[in-house]
Amino acid sequence: MSYTNPHGQPQGIAIYDTILIAEIDAINTYADHIANSNMEDVNKVWRDIIKDEKTLWNDSFVAS
């Protein structure tokens, strides 16, 4: 069974894996920004984004 269509795009469950990996990568990147910044106002925004991303994905998987 192929996880891509004839054009190489993910299909079915594999696309969720791809999206989830990208979201985890983004969350890790936000955490890196926080670790390398002393600007607390900016870090608060990054923390809020991380919280929103985690909430979105948690709700998505719990509802499934």
Side-chain angles (χ1 to χ4, degrees):
M1 175 180 185
S2 174
Y3 290 104
T4 59
N5 65 22
H7 304 289
Q9 298 298 316
Q11 64 182 6
I13 298 299
I15 196 163
Y16 292 114
D17 292 344
T18 302
I19 293 169
L20 182 57
I21 290 168
E23 290 295 336
I24 291 169
D25 184 51
I27 290 169
N28 287 337
T29 301
Y30 302 146
D32 288 343
H33 286 304
I34 292 169
N36 294 313
S37 171
N38 292 326
M39 297 182 288
E40 195 52 44
D41 291 343
V42 174
N43 289 346
K44 182 185 180 316
V45 173
W46 288 126
R47 285 187 196 97
D48 289 344
I49 292 170
I50 290 172
K51 180 182 172 194
D52 289 346
E53 293 288 347
K54 288 180 177 181
T55 300
L56 168 75
W57 282 100
N58 184 50
D59 292 348
S60 296
F61 286 110
V62 170
S64 296

